[in-house]
Amino acid sequence: VLEDDLERIKAFYEDQGFIDVVVDKEVKIIENRKYAEVIIYIQENKRYLTGQVTVKGNKIFTTSALREKIKLQSGNIFSPSAVSDDAANIQTFYFDKGYIFCNVDSDTALNAQTGKVDVNYIVREGQVAYVENVNIEGNTKTKDVVIRRELRLSPEDRFDGQKLRRSKERLYNLGYFEDVSFDTAPGSIPSKRNLIVSVKEAKTGEFSFGGGYSTVDRLVGFVEVQQKNFDLFNFPNFTGAGQRIGLRAQFGSVRRDFDLMFMEPWIFGKPLSFGVDAFHRTRERSNESGWAYNEENTGFDLSLGKQLGEFLTGTAVYRLEDTKISDLVGDASGLLQKEAGKSLLSSMKGILTRDSRDSAFTPTKGNITSAWLEVAGGPFFGDENFARLYGDSDWYFPLFRRFVLELRLRAGIMDPFGDSDDVPIYERFYVGGAETVRGYKERTIGPRDTGSNEPIGGRSMLIFNAEHVILITDFLKGAIFYDAGNVWEEIGDFASDTLRQGVGLGIRVKTPVGPVKLDYGYPLNPQKGDKKTGRFHFNITRGF
């Protein structure tokens, strides 16, 4: 171990330009051979700078184009690891253009006249390579076609490093594989190579039951059966076609939910998705979670989506839902009391989503932005008539090796039309709590009922979140966040009032029974009459 430490110290000095550094040791046994005293001697010597940086052997691409990939410049502190990184950057540049046989070597020499280290990169370009065949390995359950439709490279295509990296992201985002790798094998002629896609399948079927607690739903238990890689026609295994099916029952102190969903991501062999979600959900009145009434919802959603580009998806969703509002707080005003009773909602929603994140599960860069327009009633019938426009943009920025900054902006407006005088209370925007502005009670930011002082939501909304995530270990993350947002009663009031702000700290723990999320938020400018005290937002819900 001591010898390894000396090598690490030497490598550190060399990367700081001290390429003549001498590192030695002395070990003294002391106190009756119970301890060893270790002395490390360092002779730093001269610190070298980088001299001339040249590129030779390139014919296909200009030297100026390759120099853009070289970070080590003349006059910089000389670093052997930087030389290796720059050689790899040049090779990656060629690989991305299809020159997978390219090889880049580096040569360094001390210039006796300048006293600096000259660096020369020698490029052996080779010829451009094409894909001859695509071979899939390691998939025992998943059908080849499910993997092939996610690949951005096909036979006869020129090799492209960017498309290979995107293919890997898409395969990981399916959630079917715990490992994905690419390799090549010789083809029928030197300029053609076979692309080998190797996968290691993950568990996609799950039967789980369990319980948890959150500051919104309090105690909750659930039973769930789901298969993320389902195949309706593959009897008796029913796996491998990339379909999704799930049945979930959730019951607790204030809510009871039953959901059945099915999703086919590719119908008729085309990038068209079809989904259905049937549900029955009830939530009881709870001052802690911002519900001033009991709510019962029964209905279904039908969705049809299409991939419009590499990152763009369009989706149409039809919703039919029967809602019952009852048991309002006793001191509710007439405005709130009139919401009691049953109503039928029939709506159509059009959604555009652009998703360029590197991972759908633990993103570190890219963004996901969606915008949708929903029309309820009117040509779709039903008891409620309103239109809603909503936008959501979530951006991820890698700052350092284990730091990720997430910025999110949400905004929405909605208004009644036709025979409806108002938007139903259960469809309005609400802000405050664990998923919007932390440090405030659930749904309490914005308009209140004049009689009961309970939240009644609004027709316009704006929320901003900034969260700095620190990856401490593989299972533990820390977070620092700033939230701001508000809800306004009318569209014309949008952004007319102060945004309610909160700051705080959080931890995210990945446990064997599921993720634990704990945030402590502090309100900076609560509404008049509300206490300026911090609040914990806690959530754990997963199966055993």
Side-chain angles (χ1 to χ4, degrees), residues 18-73:
F18 297 94
I19 57 178
D20 295 332
V21 65
V22 177
V23 182
D24 205 351
K25 69 180 186 303
E26 181 182 356
V27 179
K28 298 179 180 179
I29 307 301
I30 59 176
E31 294 189 19
N32 297 323
R33 305 184 66 83
K34 286 179 63 178
Y35 300 97
E37 180 180 81
V38 179
I39 304 170
I40 297 175
Y41 298 98
I42 301 174
Q43 184 177 341
E44 295 176 337
N45 295 316
K46 180 181 177 181
R47 192 177 204 178
Y48 290 90
L49 300 179
T50 304
Q52 289 185 341
V53 179
T54 56
V55 181
K56 294 181 180 179
N58 56 303
K59 298 178 181 178
I60 299 169
F61 300 106
T62 64
T63 300
S64 60
L66 300 184
R67 280 189 174 276
E68 293 180 2
K69 308 301 174 184
I70 300 174
K71 296 180 180 179
L72 187 65
Q73 301 296 321

Side-chain angles (χ1 to χ4, degrees), residues 243-346:
Q243 301 162 358
R244 292 176 180 264
I245 191 170
L247 175 63
R248 180 182 177 93
Q250 181 170 294
F251 41 89
S253 304
V254 297
R255 66 182 302 174
R256 289 172 296 279
D257 297 344
F258 299 91
D259 288 86
L260 174 64
M261 65 81 61
F262 174 81
M263 171 66 74
E264 167 59 79
W266 282 63
I267 56 177
F268 313 121
K270 304 292 184 181
L272 295 169
S273 65
F274 171 76
V276 59
D277 183 7
F279 54 86
H280 176 75
R281 303 166 185 157
T282 61
R283 177 181 286 277
E284 296 180 359
R285 189 179 73 196
S286 170
N287 176 264
E288 183 64 27
S289 57
W291 261 264
Y293 49 85
N294 289 352
E295 182 178 332
E296 181 177 343
N297 308 94
T298 303
F300 64 87
D301 296 336
L302 297 175
S303 66
L304 184 66
K306 178 173 174 40
Q307 294 183 24
L308 303 176
E310 179 58 38
F311 302 106
L312 188 65
T313 304
T315 308
V317 181
Y318 173 73
R319 174 166 62 129
L320 184 65
E321 182 175 330
D322 182 75
T323 300
K324 180 182 178 182
I325 301 295
S326 62
D327 195 23
L328 280 77
V329 290
D331 53 352
S333 68
L335 178 67
L336 192 55
Q337 289 287 351
K338 75 174 186 178
E339 296 284 351
K342 284 189 173 183
S343 62
L344 182 67
L345 188 147
S346 176

Side-chain angles (χ1 to χ4, degrees), residues 57-267:
N58 56 303
K59 298 178 181 178
I60 299 169
F61 300 106
T62 64
T63 300
S64 60
L66 300 184
R67 280 189 174 276
E68 293 180 2
K69 308 301 174 184
I70 300 174
K71 296 180 180 179
L72 187 65
Q73 301 296 321
S74 179
N76 293 164
I77 294 171
F78 176 74
S79 168
S81 65
V83 173
S84 298
D85 290 344
D86 287 339
N89 290 339
I90 296 173
Q91 192 159 326
T92 299
F93 174 78
Y94 271 90
F95 186 87
D96 287 350
K97 306 297 183 182
Y99 294 87
I100 65 173
F101 306 111
C102 176
N103 195 18
V104 180
D105 294 322
S106 60
D107 182 32
T108 60
L110 178 63
N111 190 316
Q113 295 181 340
T114 64
K116 298 179 180 180
V117 179
D118 294 336
V119 181
N120 182 36
Y121 297 97
I122 302 99
V123 180
R124 298 176 181 87
E125 295 176 320
Q127 60 182 336
V128 68
Y130 293 87
V131 179
E132 185 165 32
N133 296 305
V134 177
N135 302 322
I136 312 293
E137 297 179 351
N139 54 317
T140 58
K141 295 182 297 184
T142 308
K143 293 180 178 179
D144 278 9
V145 65
V146 175
I147 298 174
R148 291 182 187 278
R149 67 195 187 194
E150 301 299 327
L151 299 176
R152 304 296 93 179
L153 278 178
S154 303
E156 303 305 322
D157 287 351
R158 174 188 288 205
F159 270 91
D160 188 311
Q162 290 184 343
K163 289 184 177 180
L164 276 179
R165 288 190 290 272
R166 179 57 183 163
S167 300
K168 194 172 188 176
E169 290 176 356
R170 291 179 66 95
L171 288 173
Y172 271 122
N173 286 342
L174 291 175
Y176 310 157
F177 311 110
E178 60 181 64
D179 188 43
V180 178
S181 61
F182 296 109
D183 200 354
T184 63
S188 58
I189 58 176
S191 63
K192 290 189 175 183
R193 302 283 289 185
N194 294 320
L195 176 63
I196 302 172
V197 183
S198 300
V199 298
K200 183 180 180 181
E201 292 180 311
K203 292 189 296 183
T204 56
E206 184 178 282
F207 170 73
S208 60
F209 64 93
Y213 178 84
S214 76
T215 50
V216 180
D217 299 323
R218 294 188 280 180
L219 289 174
V220 63
F222 70 90
V223 177
E224 182 177 20
V225 180
Q226 68 167 332
Q227 173 56 257
K228 295 183 290 185
N229 191 7
F230 186 66
D231 188 347
L232 184 62
F233 305 106
N234 183 18
F235 178 85
N237 297 319
F238 295 107
T239 58
Q243 301 162 358
R244 292 176 180 264
I245 191 170
L247 175 63
R248 180 182 177 93
Q250 181 170 294
F251 41 89
S253 304
V254 297
R255 66 182 302 174
R256 289 172 296 279
D257 297 344
F258 299 91
D259 288 86
L260 174 64
M261 65 81 61
F262 174 81
M263 171 66 74
E264 167 59 79
W266 282 63
I267 56 177

Side-chain angles (χ1 to χ4, degrees), residues 9 175 204 228 234 241 286 352 370-371 391 424 518 520:
I9 293 172
T204 56
K228 295 183 290 185
N234 183 18
S286 170
L352 279 177
S370 62
L518 176 63
Y520 177 79

